Structures are given as structure tokens and as C-alpha cells.
Amino acid sequence: MDRIWNQAWRIVVRELKIDRYYLTASTLFIAYMAFFSGLMVSMISEEARFSLVADLFFWAVASMTGYYFSRRMMKFLAEDSYTQMLAYYRVLPISPKVIALARCQQLALATVFNGILLFGLMYALHSGIREQLDPGAFVAFALLWTGFGLISNSAYVVLELSVRGKAYFWYSLVLVVALTLLVLILHFSGVHIVEGTMRISKEHGVFSPIAWSFFAAGVLSIYVSYRALVIKLPKRNLA
């Protein structure tokens, strides 16, 4: 297992070096999203109308923490870049376990870095959030949404490497539409997601069982996506 882990990590490092210029743009984008998403979250208590906007917007922002910009990501539709990558690794050859683990390592690394940047800047820049949530409560809030991000991103990772670029695009679009409709249904049914997660975090603080349960589910979803990819990758037709 150590050998597989080291091989996967070398792939991750290689990809980071190749995409180093994209990483700068990705960091700036997350900082930008931290400012505006934090602004909406901080204003929920003052303006009820911001609750719907926050509900529609924040789940998408949380999902972005699992990704960073890369050439392959930008070209997946035009060039089917993920399929090309798999074909290249299969020729070398690199085992499906190494490929799957490398992608899961990328997901975990991006989530840690982007999550710290996103939630750290949100809390530092917006006094409205600090007034509503003390540091412990905000950690619970961040853990809860990080768990959601890991769950959704784990599904995207499996799709990313299991189907061709056009199919990945359409599957992703269906997921986005479905989640948007779910958020709208919940909101107009009286369930305000962001406001509710803030209330839960405030009531229970850093030891919130719901927050830690979501985070644990997110971590487990990475393992599930790894196992799914180990099964799917050898069967993938790359011709």
C-alpha cells in the first residue's frame, strides 16, 4: 500500500507543477467567492430575502472547495482530456488503484487548502458572521459544509473518470439542476439551509454531532469513490 500511496502522490505533485499558473487563478477565485458568499451569509440575519440567495449560492461555493483550476479541467469538454489522461496512464502502465488514489488525494488536498482559504477569509472579512458565530461555532459550520462538499465532489470524481467528457458535462448539469430544485423546494417549504446550519452550529458549537457526522460522511465518501473507481477504471473503454 505504501508503494501505491507514493506513486499516487508523485502523480499529484506532477500535476500541481504542470498547473502551477492555474493554481494562482484558482486561489484568487476562491478568495473572491469567500468575500461574496460571506457577504450574503452575514446579511441573512438583517435581510430575510438574502436567505434564498444564500441557499442557492452557498452549496455551489462549498462544492468548489474540492477542485482547483487546471488545463485538464478547462479542456474536458473540447478535448475529452480526462479520457486522454487515462489512456496515457494505461500505456505506461499505471494501475487503476494508483490513478484512483491520486485523484482522491487531489480532492482531499484541494478541500483542505481551499476550505481553509474560503472559510478563513469569510470569518476574517465579515463582522456580520463573527457577530452571529463565535470561533467554535464557525468551525462547526465549516465542518458541516466541508462534509457536504466532499460528498458532492466524490460523486463528481467518479463521473469524471468513468465517462467521456460530453457525458460528464450532461451528468454534472443534471446534478446541478436537481440540487437547485431541491434547494428551492426546501426553501419554499420553510427549510432555510444556510440559516439552519448556522443555527445548529451556534447551538452546539465545535462539538456539534451533526457537523461532525456530515464531515465524517464526507471523508467516508472519498473512500467510497476510491473503491468505485478501482472497479470502474479497468472496465473503461478508452478507444
Side-chain angles (χ1 to χ4, degrees), residues 4 18 42 49 55 60 67-68 84 126 143 166 168 170 174-175 182 186 192 194 203 205 211 217 220 227-229 232:
I4 293 174
I18 292 173
S42 67
R49 60 192 173 92
D55 286 351
Y67 283 87
Y68 55 82
Q84 291 183 21
H126 296 287
L143 285 172
K166 290 183 179 179
Y168 175 56
W170 287 111
V174 169
L175 284 173
L182 178 61
L186 289 173
H192 307 308
V194 175
E203 290 174 356
L220 179 61
R227 296 304 307 172
L229 287 173
K232 288 176 176 293

Side-chain angles (χ1 to χ4, degrees), residues 85 93 103 107 109 111 134 137 155 164 183 185 191 201 208 210 224:
M85 175 196 71
R103 188 62 190 88
L107 170 58
L109 183 64
T111 299
D134 61 35
R164 294 192 175 276
V183 169
I185 291 170
V191 179
S201 301
S208 168
I210 296 177
V224 172

Side-chain angles (χ1 to χ4, degrees), residues 1-187:
M1 187 61 189
D2 287 343
R3 180 170 172 270
I4 293 174
W5 185 275
N6 291 333
Q7 288 179 337
W9 184 246
R10 284 201 292 269
I11 291 176
V12 173
V13 173
R14 176 181 177 274
E15 295 286 334
L16 289 173
K17 289 179 179 178
I18 292 173
D19 294 321
R20 58 187 178 278
Y21 299 115
Y22 287 95
L23 293 176
T24 302
S26 183
T27 300
L28 293 174
F29 178 74
I30 290 295
Y32 174 84
M33 298 305 287
F35 175 77
F36 282 101
S37 60
L39 183 64
M40 285 186 290
V41 171
S42 67
M43 295 181 71
I44 287 178
S45 62
E46 300 175 8
E47 293 283 347
R49 60 192 173 92
F50 280 104
S51 179
L52 176 58
V53 179
D55 286 351
L56 287 171
F57 187 73
F58 199 71
W59 70 262
V61 174
S63 297
M64 292 175 187
T65 58
Y67 283 87
Y68 55 82
F69 293 161
S70 66
R71 183 187 182 281
R72 189 171 292 121
M73 178 183 176
M74 300 300 180
K75 298 289 186 179
F76 83 90
L77 188 59
E79 299 179 359
D80 200 2
S81 53
Y82 292 115
T83 301
Q84 291 183 21
M85 175 196 71
L86 291 175
Y88 171 73
Y89 286 150
R90 185 173 289 182
V91 169
L92 285 181
I94 295 177
S95 75
K97 287 184 178 181
V98 172
I99 298 171
L101 183 57
R103 188 62 190 88
C104 290
Q105 287 177 345
Q106 287 176 325
L107 170 58
L109 183 64
T111 299
V112 171
F113 178 80
N114 290 335
I116 291 173
L117 182 64
L118 174 70
F119 292 107
L121 285 178
M122 282 178 59
Y123 200 70
L125 294 175
H126 296 287
S127 59
I129 295 179
R130 296 195 299 273
E131 290 171 359
Q132 298 178 69
L133 300 174
D134 61 35
F138 189 74
V139 169
F141 178 80
L143 285 172
L144 197 159
W145 281 100
T146 298
F148 168 80
L150 286 172
I151 293 169
S152 60
N153 285 326
S154 294
Y156 283 121
V157 163
V158 174
L159 287 174
E160 178 186 292
L161 299 182
S162 299
V163 298
R164 294 192 175 276
K166 290 183 179 179
Y168 175 56
F169 171 78
W170 287 111
Y171 279 127
S172 299
L173 185 60
V174 169
L175 284 173
V176 168
V177 172
L179 281 171
T180 301
L181 289 175
L182 178 61
V183 169
L184 287 171
I185 291 170
L186 289 173
H187 181 85

